[in-house]
Amino acid sequence: MRTARLSLRRPVPADAAAVLRIHSDPLACAHNPGDMIFTWAEAVTRCAAWIGHWERYGFGYHVLRRLDSDRVIGFCGVKVVRLHDLPVLNLFYRLEPAAWGAGLAGEAVAAVIGSVAGEPLPVIARVRPANVASARVAARAGLRRAEHLDTEGEDGVDWIWASP
């Protein structure tokens, strides 16, 4: 899948290096420190889980790179999770800090949401209250605050943004 500035593709085992690089960056994981990983084995396991989701559902987390570069700058996609005992598509986006501020997360999110438009499950984004930039990305993607769905997450309260 392509956008104006990005290539989005399925992960492969070799992406574990980028998974480790981005998910071991304290700034990239500042709002979700529970997502941090520190070892090659953790990166391989996480990458394998993402690949497994694709194999099971036909969609999942994408590896992002700018069209003018081979460097992986982040990840964006959806995975099936349970929220209040109901299945939903959890929207995930994490970019390396050097890619922040250029609208790339929003561009990737729009493409991902468009790619799952036919799926019967609602799309949600779990956003930490202090993560204003992530909330802006969710809002620009058409998700709306759903306070009644807020929940306690691994790293604190998750504000839920949901598809209409």
Side-chain angles (χ1 to χ4, degrees):
M1 185 166 37
R2 289 180 183 259
T3 68
R5 298 177 291 168
L6 297 171
S7 167
L8 294 81
R9 64 166 174 76
R10 290 173 68 154
V12 297
D15 292 317
V19 170
L20 180 58
R21 177 174 50 82
I22 293 169
H23 284 90
S24 65
D25 184 326
L27 188 56
C29 296
H31 293 284
N32 299 91
D35 284 352
M36 287 190 70
I37 59 174
F38 302 97
T39 68
W40 178 250
E42 290 172 307
V44 168
T45 298
R46 185 161 302 174
C47 195
W50 293 357
I51 292 167
H53 190 280
W54 271 96
E55 291 169 353
R56 181 171 182 190
Y57 295 102
F59 59 84
Y61 291 169
H62 297 264
V63 175
L64 308 178
R65 67 171 182 79
R66 294 176 191 259
L67 292 177
D68 61 356
S69 173
D70 288 332
R71 179 180 174 83
V72 173
I73 62 164
F75 313 98
C76 179
V78 294
K79 75 174 180 180
V80 177
V81 300
R82 297 192 75 74
L83 177 68
H84 301 296
D85 292 323
L86 297 173
V88 296
L89 297 179
N90 184 71
L91 178 63
F92 169 77
Y93 36 99
R94 175 161 295 129
L95 278 64
E96 65 184 4
W100 294 357
L104 296 172
E107 193 171 316
V109 164
V112 164
I113 288 178
S115 74
V116 296
E119 294 296 326
L121 300 177
V123 174
I124 63 112
R126 297 176 297 172
V127 178
R128 295 282 175 274
N131 195 344
V132 176
S134 185
R136 268 192 236 121
V137 169
R140 287 185 184 138
L143 303 182
R144 302 287 174 250
R145 271 290 283 126
E147 293 90 351
H148 65 287
L149 296 174
D150 289 354
T151 188
E152 189 68 25
E154 181 179 341
D155 294 313
V157 174
D158 284 332
W159 281 2
I160 305 300
W161 293 72
S163 55

